[in-house]
Amino acid sequence: MMNGQKLAPAAEVAVQLPESKVAADNTSGTMSGPLVGASGGGATAAMRPFGRKAEVMHVLLRLLCMITSVAALSFMVTAQQSSSISIYGFMLPVQSKWSFSHSFEYLVGVSAAVAAHSLLQLLISMSRLLRKSPVIPSRSHAWLIFAVDQVFAYAMISAGAAASGITNLNRTGIQHTALPNFCKPLQSFCDHVAVSIFFTFTSCFLLAASAVQEVMWLSRSKY
């Protein structure tokens, strides 16, 4: 009996010591072990399938797209000129302005929308990059910006193509008529339009590059 009474408290102490240690670990809020470490690293890798350089490139593409779309918008809205032209020997006054063409108005509207979209995405990406968070936090976010980038890329292609047709008509004139090359007396106007169209197609290329990067992100991410 004496030996049994002495061994019982020792057994309780031996059992309670590990339990108290586990309870202390739980109250501290930290967990350790091979399973915890592996799952945490896997979740981080799934949320950020690309390195920091790829995220910086994503932000840079947004910045360049915003600059080119603003440039396309600026050159188009400043395209206006007045001059005179000879038709059948008569000197007639000619005035040209971007708002006289529906194609040019369409280009201005699309460029403004792309500039606003690029600015918004740039601010969001920059804030996440400065906080050292994933620039693209989830698959749903990636699918959303991929769809929007695709829509704006096709819109920029159509706007650039429509404006190019009008500009080419101004340079070549109309066959079998006496209408001359309007870009000779309106050289400044045509130059502004040409530069605007160049930046329009450049913005389209940058949007396509962003969409490709988002597809690569979707193909590697799991969440």
Side-chain angles (χ1 to χ4, degrees):
M1 295 296 292
M2 294 294 292
N3 293 335
Q5 291 177 356
K6 290 180 179 180
L7 291 175
E12 292 177 359
V13 172
V15 172
Q16 290 176 0
L17 281 177
E19 292 177 356
S20 61
K21 184 178 180 181
V22 172
D25 291 340
N26 291 335
T27 56
S28 63
T30 59
M31 297 181 64
S32 61
L35 294 178
V36 175
S39 62
T44 304
M47 291 177 63
R48 181 172 284 165
F50 291 105
R52 204 66 175 171
K53 292 182 179 179
E55 293 182 342
V56 172
M57 181 61 66
H58 181 80
V59 174
L60 182 61
L61 286 174
R62 293 298 182 191
L63 176 62
L64 292 176
C65 186
M66 186 191 69
I67 292 174
T68 54
S69 57
V70 169
L73 175 65
S74 301
F75 276 99
M76 183 57 74
V77 297
T78 56
Q80 55 182 344
Q81 187 179 3
S82 299
S83 183
S84 59
I85 192 171
S86 176
I87 299 178
Y88 292 110
F90 296 97
M91 297 299 296
L92 301 176
V94 177
Q95 183 181 7
S96 187
K97 190 177 180 180
W98 65 272
S99 58
F100 295 164
S101 172
H102 294 299
S103 298
F104 295 160
E105 289 179 338
Y106 175 59
L107 188 146
V108 168
V110 173
S111 298
V114 171
H117 166 68
S118 300
L119 177 60
L120 176 62
Q121 294 300 323
L122 177 63
L123 294 176
I124 294 174
S125 300
M126 280 294 297
S127 64
R128 291 182 178 275
L129 193 65
L130 293 176
R131 295 198 309 265
K132 296 183 179 180
S133 302
V135 173
I136 303 178
S138 62
R139 289 180 63 88
S140 59
H141 181 82
W143 277 113
L144 176 62
I145 60 176
F146 169 73
V148 176
D149 286 343
Q150 286 283 81
V151 169
F152 279 131
Y154 287 122
M156 291 295 272
I157 288 179
S158 62
S164 298
I166 299 298
T167 304
N168 184 62
L169 182 63
N170 288 336
R171 290 187 181 277
T172 59
I174 302 177
Q175 293 182 354
H176 309 299
T177 64
L179 293 178
N181 180 2
F182 287 100
C183 283
K184 286 184 178 180
L186 302 172
Q187 187 67 41
S188 177
F189 170 80
C190 291
D191 289 343
H192 275 71
V193 171
V195 174
S196 176
I197 293 172
F198 169 77
F199 281 116
T200 299
F201 284 115
T202 304
S203 299
C204 175
F205 172 78
L206 294 172
L207 287 170
S210 297
V212 169
Q213 191 180 40
E214 290 146 14
V215 169
M216 295 174 63
W217 191 97
L218 287 168
S219 65
R220 296 188 183 184
S221 67
K222 297 179 181 179
Y223 295 95

